[in-house]
PDB file of all heavy atoms in Angstrom:
ATOM      1  N   ARG A 113     -12.386  82.008-136.321  1.00 73.00           N
ATOM      2  CA  ARG A 113     -11.318  82.908-136.815  1.00 73.00           C
ATOM      3  C   ARG A 113      -9.865  82.511-136.248  1.00 73.00           C
ATOM      4  O   ARG A 113      -8.993  82.905-136.830  1.00 73.00           O
ATOM      5  CB  ARG A 113     -11.645  84.308-136.457  1.00 73.00           C
ATOM      6  CG  ARG A 113     -12.998  84.831-136.936  1.00 73.00           C
ATOM      7  CD  ARG A 113     -12.938  85.061-138.349  1.00 73.00           C
ATOM      8  NE  ARG A 113     -14.265  85.586-138.825  1.00 73.00           N
ATOM      9  CZ  ARG A 113     -15.062  85.086-139.698  1.00 73.00           C
ATOM     10  NH1 ARG A 113     -14.675  84.036-140.473  1.00 73.00           N
ATOM     11  NH2 ARG A 113     -16.119  85.643-140.072  1.00 73.00           N
ATOM     12  N   THR A 114      -9.866  81.755-135.157  1.00 71.00           N
ATOM     13  CA  THR A 114      -8.597  81.507-134.536  1.00 71.00           C
ATOM     14  C   THR A 114      -7.920  80.203-135.051  1.00 71.00           C
ATOM     15  O   THR A 114      -6.870  79.848-134.557  1.00 71.00           O
ATOM     16  CB  THR A 114      -8.709  81.423-133.078  1.00 71.00           C
ATOM     17  OG1 THR A 114      -9.663  80.256-132.805  1.00 71.00           O
ATOM     18  CG2 THR A 114      -9.254  82.597-132.447  1.00 71.00           C
ATOM     19  N   ARG A 115      -8.469  79.556-135.969  1.00 68.00           N
ATOM     20  CA  ARG A 115      -7.924  78.337-136.523  1.00 68.00           C
ATOM     21  C   ARG A 115      -6.691  78.354-137.441  1.00 68.00           C
ATOM     22  O   ARG A 115      -6.012  77.337-137.735  1.00 68.00           O
ATOM     23  CB  ARG A 115      -9.059  77.475-137.144  1.00 68.00           C
ATOM     24  CG  ARG A 115      -9.386  77.881-138.544  1.00 68.00           C
ATOM     25  CD  ARG A 115     -10.560  77.077-139.093  1.00 68.00           C
ATOM     26  NE  ARG A 115     -10.923  77.346-140.469  1.00 68.00           N
ATOM     27  CZ  ARG A 115     -11.215  78.470-140.994  1.00 68.00           C
ATOM     28  NH1 ARG A 115     -11.469  79.473-140.194  1.00 68.00           N
ATOM     29  NH2 ARG A 115     -11.558  78.546-142.195  1.00 68.00           N
ATOM     30  N   GLY A 116      -6.379  79.509-138.035  1.00 72.00           N
ATOM     31  CA  GLY A 116      -5.329  79.625-138.917  1.00 72.00           C
ATOM     32  C   GLY A 116      -3.969  79.265-138.363  1.00 72.00           C
ATOM     33  O   GLY A 116      -3.591  79.501-137.261  1.00 72.00           O
ATOM     34  N   GLY A 117      -3.125  78.680-139.209  1.00 82.00           N
ATOM     35  CA  GLY A 117      -1.846  78.366-138.872  1.00 82.00           C
ATOM     36  C   GLY A 117      -1.541  77.086-138.156  1.00 82.00           C
ATOM     37  O   GLY A 117      -2.571  76.405-137.668  1.00 82.00           O
ATOM     38  N   PRO A 118      -0.255  76.642-138.080  1.00 90.00           N
ATOM     39  CA  PRO A 118       0.002  75.346-137.459  1.00 90.00           C
ATOM     40  C   PRO A 118      -0.089  75.369-135.971  1.00 90.00           C
ATOM     41  O   PRO A 118       0.058  76.419-135.274  1.00 90.00           O
ATOM     42  CB  PRO A 118       1.422  75.087-137.894  1.00 90.00           C
ATOM     43  CG  PRO A 118       2.022  76.392-138.140  1.00 90.00           C
ATOM     44  CD  PRO A 118       0.911  77.334-138.653  1.00 90.00           C
ATOM     45  N   THR A 119      -0.338  74.292-135.304  1.00 91.00           N
ATOM     46  CA  THR A 119      -0.403  74.025-133.922  1.00 91.00           C
ATOM     47  C   THR A 119       0.716  73.051-133.619  1.00 91.00           C
ATOM     48  O   THR A 119       0.834  71.955-134.281  1.00 91.00           O
ATOM     49  CB  THR A 119      -1.753  73.417-133.345  1.00 91.00           C
ATOM     50  OG1 THR A 119      -2.791  74.539-133.714  1.00 91.00           O
ATOM     51  CG2 THR A 119      -1.763  73.226-131.917  1.00 91.00           C
ATOM     52  N   CYS A 120       1.628  73.360-132.692  1.00 93.00           N
ATOM     53  CA  CYS A 120       2.712  72.517-132.368  1.00 93.00           C
ATOM     54  C   CYS A 120       2.425  71.906-130.900  1.00 93.00           C
ATOM     55  O   CYS A 120       2.086  72.550-130.007  1.00 93.00           O
ATOM     56  CB  CYS A 120       4.014  73.334-132.250  1.00 93.00           C
ATOM     57  SG  CYS A 120       5.477  72.244-131.816  1.00 93.00           S
ATOM     58  N   TRP A 121       2.380  70.581-130.840  1.00 94.00           N
ATOM     59  CA  TRP A 121       2.204  69.779-129.646  1.00 94.00           C
ATOM     60  C   TRP A 121       3.487  69.270-129.157  1.00 94.00           C
ATOM     61  O   TRP A 121       4.367  68.790-129.997  1.00 94.00           O
ATOM     62  CB  TRP A 121       1.276  68.618-129.896  1.00 94.00           C
ATOM     63  CG  TRP A 121      -0.158  68.991-130.031  1.00 94.00           C
ATOM     64  CD1 TRP A 121      -0.805  69.561-131.046  1.00 94.00           C
ATOM     65  CD2 TRP A 121      -1.102  68.929-128.965  1.00 94.00           C
ATOM     66  NE1 TRP A 121      -2.137  69.758-130.659  1.00 94.00           N
ATOM     67  CE2 TRP A 121      -2.326  69.377-129.553  1.00 94.00           C
ATOM     68  CE3 TRP A 121      -1.135  68.525-127.568  1.00 94.00           C
ATOM     69  CZ2 TRP A 121      -3.469  69.433-128.755  1.00 94.00           C
ATOM     70  CZ3 TRP A 121      -2.332  68.467-126.817  1.00 94.00           C
ATOM     71  CH2 TRP A 121      -3.451  68.973-127.449  1.00 94.00           C
ATOM     72  N   SER A 122       3.700  69.278-127.877  1.00 94.00           N
ATOM     73  CA  SER A 122       4.967  68.680-127.285  1.00 94.00           C
ATOM     74  C   SER A 122       4.622  68.057-125.966  1.00 94.00           C
ATOM     75  O   SER A 122       3.731  68.574-125.310  1.00 94.00           O
ATOM     76  CB  SER A 122       6.093  69.755-127.168  1.00 94.00           C
ATOM     77  OG  SER A 122       5.737  70.833-126.237  1.00 94.00           O
TER      78      SER A 122
END
Side-chain angles (χ1 to χ4, degrees):
R113 304 284 186 237
T114 60
R115 74 182 188 294
T119 300
C120 181
W121 282 81
S122 62

